[in-house]
Amino acid sequence: MLVLLPPSEGKAASGRGAPLKPESLSLPGLAAAREAALAELVDLCTGDEDKAREVLGLSEGLRSEIAKNAELGSAGARPAGEIYTGVLYDALDLASLDAAAKRRAATSLLVFSGLWGAVRVTDRIPSYRLSMGVRLPGLGALSGHWRAPMAEVLPEAAGSGLVLDLRSAAYAAAWRPKGEVAGRTATVRVLHAPTRKVVSHFNKATKGRIVRSLLTAGAVPKDPAGLVEALRDLGYAVEATAPGQAGAAWALDVLVDEVH
């Protein structure tokens, strides 16, 4: 099972660990695209601060993020699972998983990123600020920058099992499973059952809880139908829509009564 996660806008501080070693990151087929994105971001953030703030879409209160990006080459690195914070990651709470669940997380979770493309939660990275929706001056839209290398690398990373896609739209644009891989991919929405509406905060929190539940239970469904069964066994109310044509993903709605 491969679980595709969005990153978080908020990130923990890099800390005082050893600096990033790009060659140590998972999915080495993304190395050239990572190098290009990192060079462009550092170049942008060591220049005109006002231009950098405009390009990155940062408020005045987040101006300090520009200096952080400028020092990415020397900043300390920590496991990505410690760097990413926010609602989904708080609910997932990787640090409190038992040893077996942590091993499953290390092999099954893949976090998408505007800067790194995609990383495992055990990959050591520095804290940074760069959303997938940004257009870097020398690269253009990041989703477009990542599309070709992702298409080369991700089908192999997906293996032959289930792909559980929990990404937001911006990150999904960087890689969309196709063909046979799409047929064993399940995308998930979380709906407030009484209103049938998506609410951002509890959507993210519930996705974090879903991943935690699967990891803790040791559930390894082999396909979307197996995922539906596993989630129902774990107490989730799930409605599933099988694809109407070849090369399309399953759509799962998880219904939650309380917004929290």
Side-chain angles (χ1 to χ4, degrees):
M1 177 174 67
L2 184 67
V3 182
L4 311 180
L5 296 174
S8 58
E9 293 242 344
K11 298 175 183 69
S14 293
R16 298 183 179 181
L20 169 73
K21 296 181 179 179
E23 68 277 7
S24 72
L25 297 178
S26 302
L27 308 179
L30 300 179
R34 286 169 175 153
E35 181 179 354
L38 179 60
E40 283 291 331
L41 180 61
V42 171
D43 183 64
L44 173 69
C45 292
T46 52
D48 185 325
E49 273 198 8
D50 289 330
K51 177 183 177 181
R53 188 165 71 85
E54 180 180 357
V55 169
L56 297 177
L58 300 177
S59 66
E60 180 63 35
L62 292 174
R63 185 179 285 269
S64 62
E65 298 290 290
I66 298 169
K68 182 170 72 175
N69 283 345
E71 298 173 356
L72 284 172
S74 59
R78 296 167 58 186
E82 297 177 12
I83 290 290
Y84 293 114
T85 59
V87 176
L88 187 153
Y89 291 91
D90 285 348
L92 176 53
D93 195 8
L94 288 167
S96 70
L97 292 174
D98 62 34
K102 284 180 179 177
R103 287 193 295 271
R104 288 189 281 271
T107 58
S108 64
L109 305 188
L110 200 61
V111 184
F112 275 61
S113 162
L115 181 54
W116 314 116
V119 292
R120 303 283 185 185
V121 293
T122 51
D123 285 336
R124 299 180 63 85
I125 59 173
S127 184
Y128 66 96
R129 187 77 177 216
L130 183 66
S131 68
M132 188 66 80
V134 166
R135 298 179 66 90
L136 287 176
L139 295 181
L142 284 170
S143 58
H145 170 70
W146 287 112
R147 202 164 290 136
M150 288 284 194
E152 291 289 328
V153 171
L154 266 294
E156 181 179 355
S160 59
L162 169 72
V163 178
L164 174 53
D165 190 352
L166 302 177
R167 298 172 297 166
S168 55
Y171 291 89
W175 180 63
R176 299 187 189 281
K178 295 181 179 180
E180 181 269 337
V181 179
R184 50 187 167 85
T185 296
T187 62
V188 173
R189 295 190 308 172
V190 181
L191 302 182
H192 182 218
T195 64
R196 310 291 295 191
K197 292 181 179 179
V198 174
V199 181
S200 178
H201 177 91
F202 91 103
N203 173 55
K204 294 176 182 177
T206 303
K207 286 180 177 178
R209 294 187 192 106
I210 286 171
V211 177
R212 183 180 178 86
S213 296
L214 292 169
L215 293 172
T216 302
V220 189
K222 298 184 182 301
D223 54 33
L227 174 64
V228 173
E229 183 178 349
L231 291 176
R232 287 174 177 165
D233 287 345
L234 289 167
Y236 292 94
V238 182
E239 295 178 352
T241 303
Q245 58 186 17
W250 284 58
L252 272 58
D253 285 342
V254 176
L255 306 178
V256 181
D257 289 325
E258 297 181 5
V259 179
H260 60 91

